[in-house]
PDB file of all heavy atoms in Angstrom:
ATOM      1  N   LEU A 499      23.206   3.701  -1.595  1.00  0.00           N
ATOM      2  CA  LEU A 499      24.061   3.779  -2.771  1.00  0.00           C
ATOM      3  C   LEU A 499      25.359   4.736  -2.315  1.00  0.00           C
ATOM      4  O   LEU A 499      26.461   4.292  -2.594  1.00  0.00           O
ATOM      5  CB  LEU A 499      23.330   4.561  -3.863  1.00  0.00           C
ATOM      6  CG  LEU A 499      24.148   4.691  -5.117  1.00  0.00           C
ATOM      7  CD1 LEU A 499      24.441   3.506  -5.852  1.00  0.00           C
ATOM      8  CD2 LEU A 499      23.416   5.791  -6.073  1.00  0.00           C
ATOM      9  N   ASP A 500      25.075   5.887  -1.719  1.00  0.00           N
ATOM     10  CA  ASP A 500      26.181   6.717  -1.336  1.00  0.00           C
ATOM     11  C   ASP A 500      27.100   6.080  -0.310  1.00  0.00           C
ATOM     12  O   ASP A 500      28.334   6.197  -0.315  1.00  0.00           O
ATOM     13  CB  ASP A 500      25.667   8.032  -0.716  1.00  0.00           C
ATOM     14  CG  ASP A 500      24.929   8.848  -1.814  1.00  0.00           C
ATOM     15  OD1 ASP A 500      25.087   8.554  -3.037  1.00  0.00           O
ATOM     16  OD2 ASP A 500      24.102   9.681  -1.453  1.00  0.00           O
ATOM     17  N   GLU A 501      26.541   5.336   0.612  1.00  0.00           N
ATOM     18  CA  GLU A 501      27.390   4.841   1.753  1.00  0.00           C
ATOM     19  C   GLU A 501      27.861   3.425   1.583  1.00  0.00           C
ATOM     20  O   GLU A 501      28.912   2.980   1.938  1.00  0.00           O
ATOM     21  CB  GLU A 501      26.547   4.779   3.013  1.00  0.00           C
ATOM     22  CG  GLU A 501      26.350   6.245   3.587  1.00  0.00           C
ATOM     23  CD  GLU A 501      25.361   6.318   4.776  1.00  0.00           C
ATOM     24  OE1 GLU A 501      24.936   5.203   5.329  1.00  0.00           O
ATOM     25  OE2 GLU A 501      25.052   7.464   5.177  1.00  0.00           O
ATOM     26  N   LEU A 502      27.162   2.543   0.735  1.00  0.00           N
ATOM     27  CA  LEU A 502      27.455   1.167   0.604  1.00  0.00           C
ATOM     28  C   LEU A 502      27.644   0.773  -0.921  1.00  0.00           C
ATOM     29  O   LEU A 502      27.958  -0.408  -1.279  1.00  0.00           O
ATOM     30  CB  LEU A 502      26.414   0.278   1.264  1.00  0.00           C
ATOM     31  CG  LEU A 502      26.161   0.524   2.726  1.00  0.00           C
ATOM     32  CD1 LEU A 502      24.892  -0.074   3.203  1.00  0.00           C
ATOM     33  CD2 LEU A 502      27.352  -0.053   3.533  1.00  0.00           C
ATOM     34  N   GLY A 503      27.445   1.638  -1.772  1.00  0.00           N
ATOM     35  CA  GLY A 503      27.687   1.373  -3.229  1.00  0.00           C
ATOM     36  C   GLY A 503      26.549   0.799  -3.979  1.00  0.00           C
ATOM     37  O   GLY A 503      26.615   0.380  -5.108  1.00  0.00           O
ATOM     38  N   HIS A 504      25.318   0.579  -3.323  1.00  0.00           N
ATOM     39  CA  HIS A 504      24.157  -0.039  -4.065  1.00  0.00           C
ATOM     40  C   HIS A 504      22.911   0.470  -3.481  1.00  0.00           C
ATOM     41  O   HIS A 504      22.802   0.463  -2.066  1.00  0.00           O
ATOM     42  CB  HIS A 504      24.436  -1.552  -3.950  1.00  0.00           C
ATOM     43  CG  HIS A 504      23.746  -2.227  -5.184  1.00  0.00           C
ATOM     44  ND1 HIS A 504      22.319  -2.279  -5.369  1.00  0.00           N
ATOM     45  CD2 HIS A 504      24.256  -2.865  -6.243  1.00  0.00           C
ATOM     46  CE1 HIS A 504      22.046  -2.915  -6.492  1.00  0.00           C
ATOM     47  NE2 HIS A 504      23.200  -3.269  -7.012  1.00  0.00           N
ATOM     48  N   THR A 505      21.949   0.737  -4.264  1.00  0.00           N
ATOM     49  CA  THR A 505      20.709   1.051  -3.682  1.00  0.00           C
ATOM     50  C   THR A 505      19.941  -0.073  -2.963  1.00  0.00           C
ATOM     51  O   THR A 505      19.175   0.218  -2.020  1.00  0.00           O
ATOM     52  CB  THR A 505      19.621   1.555  -4.725  1.00  0.00           C
ATOM     53  OG1 THR A 505      19.591   0.664  -5.823  1.00  0.00           O
ATOM     54  CG2 THR A 505      20.144   2.916  -5.386  1.00  0.00           C
ATOM     55  N   MET A 506      20.355  -1.242  -3.348  1.00  0.00           N
ATOM     56  CA  MET A 506      19.839  -2.413  -2.630  1.00  0.00           C
ATOM     57  C   MET A 506      20.987  -3.355  -2.313  1.00  0.00           C
ATOM     58  O   MET A 506      21.290  -4.259  -3.203  1.00  0.00           O
ATOM     59  CB  MET A 506      18.778  -3.213  -3.401  1.00  0.00           C
ATOM     60  CG  MET A 506      18.107  -4.120  -2.447  1.00  0.00           C
ATOM     61  SD  MET A 506      16.370  -4.641  -3.051  1.00  0.00           S
ATOM     62  CE  MET A 506      16.880  -5.873  -4.265  1.00  0.00           C
ATOM     63  N   PRO A 507      21.657  -3.027  -1.152  1.00  0.00           N
ATOM     64  CA  PRO A 507      22.993  -3.751  -0.976  1.00  0.00           C
ATOM     65  C   PRO A 507      22.731  -5.279  -0.983  1.00  0.00           C
ATOM     66  O   PRO A 507      21.755  -5.737  -0.608  1.00  0.00           O
ATOM     67  CB  PRO A 507      23.361  -3.223   0.453  1.00  0.00           C
ATOM     68  CG  PRO A 507      22.639  -1.916   0.588  1.00  0.00           C
ATOM     69  CD  PRO A 507      21.314  -2.073  -0.210  1.00  0.00           C
ATOM     70  N   PRO A 508      23.806  -5.977  -1.333  1.00  0.00           N
ATOM     71  CA  PRO A 508      23.851  -7.465  -1.330  1.00  0.00           C
ATOM     72  C   PRO A 508      23.388  -8.008   0.004  1.00  0.00           C
ATOM     73  O   PRO A 508      23.743  -7.409   1.051  1.00  0.00           O
ATOM     74  CB  PRO A 508      25.288  -7.926  -1.655  1.00  0.00           C
ATOM     75  CG  PRO A 508      25.930  -6.602  -2.222  1.00  0.00           C
ATOM     76  CD  PRO A 508      25.116  -5.486  -1.734  1.00  0.00           C
ATOM     77  N   GLY A 509      22.547  -8.962  -0.005  1.00  0.00           N
ATOM     78  CA  GLY A 509      22.120  -9.592   1.218  1.00  0.00           C
ATOM     79  C   GLY A 509      20.772  -9.182   1.692  1.00  0.00           C
ATOM     80  O   GLY A 509      20.127  -9.557   2.668  1.00  0.00           O
ATOM     81  N   THR A 510      20.301  -7.942   1.064  1.00  0.00           N
ATOM     82  CA  THR A 510      19.012  -7.339   1.510  1.00  0.00           C
ATOM     83  C   THR A 510      17.903  -8.331   1.435  1.00  0.00           C
ATOM     84  O   THR A 510      17.121  -8.530   2.372  1.00  0.00           O
ATOM     85  CB  THR A 510      18.757  -6.081   0.659  1.00  0.00           C
ATOM     86  OG1 THR A 510      19.834  -5.152   0.847  1.00  0.00           O
ATOM     87  CG2 THR A 510      17.529  -5.417   1.180  1.00  0.00           C
ATOM     88  N   LEU A 511      17.765  -9.056   0.296  1.00  0.00           N
ATOM     89  CA  LEU A 511      16.611  -9.841   0.077  1.00  0.00           C
ATOM     90  C   LEU A 511      16.673 -11.010   1.102  1.00  0.00           C
ATOM     91  O   LEU A 511      15.643 -11.487   1.610  1.00  0.00           O
ATOM     92  CB  LEU A 511      16.591 -10.431  -1.315  1.00  0.00           C
ATOM     93  CG  LEU A 511      16.118  -9.424  -2.432  1.00  0.00           C
ATOM     94  CD1 LEU A 511      16.120 -10.074  -3.860  1.00  0.00           C
ATOM     95  CD2 LEU A 511      14.758  -8.907  -2.024  1.00  0.00           C
ATOM     96  N   GLU A 512      17.973 -11.542   1.227  1.00  0.00           N
ATOM     97  CA  GLU A 512      18.121 -12.712   2.068  1.00  0.00           C
ATOM     98  C   GLU A 512      17.646 -12.330   3.489  1.00  0.00           C
ATOM     99  O   GLU A 512      16.940 -13.038   4.162  1.00  0.00           O
ATOM    100  CB  GLU A 512      19.506 -13.200   2.090  1.00  0.00           C
ATOM    101  CG  GLU A 512      20.046 -13.805   0.668  1.00  0.00           C
ATOM    102  CD  GLU A 512      20.295 -12.733  -0.339  1.00  0.00           C
ATOM    103  OE1 GLU A 512      20.158 -11.560  -0.153  1.00  0.00           O
ATOM    104  OE2 GLU A 512      20.484 -13.157  -1.548  1.00  0.00           O
ATOM    105  N   THR A 513      18.130 -11.137   3.901  1.00  0.00           N
ATOM    106  CA  THR A 513      17.753 -10.757   5.384  1.00  0.00           C
ATOM    107  C   THR A 513      16.258 -10.462   5.538  1.00  0.00           C
ATOM    108  O   THR A 513      15.652 -11.004   6.426  1.00  0.00           O
ATOM    109  CB  THR A 513      18.512  -9.465   5.737  1.00  0.00           C
ATOM    110  OG1 THR A 513      19.892  -9.695   5.480  1.00  0.00           O
ATOM    111  CG2 THR A 513      18.252  -9.132   7.146  1.00  0.00           C
TER     112      THR A 513
END
Side-chain angles (χ1 to χ4, degrees):
L499 178 70
D500 293 342
E501 292 173 3
L502 302 164
H504 207 291
T505 54
M506 195 159 81
T510 302
L511 285 181
E512 292 74 7
T513 306

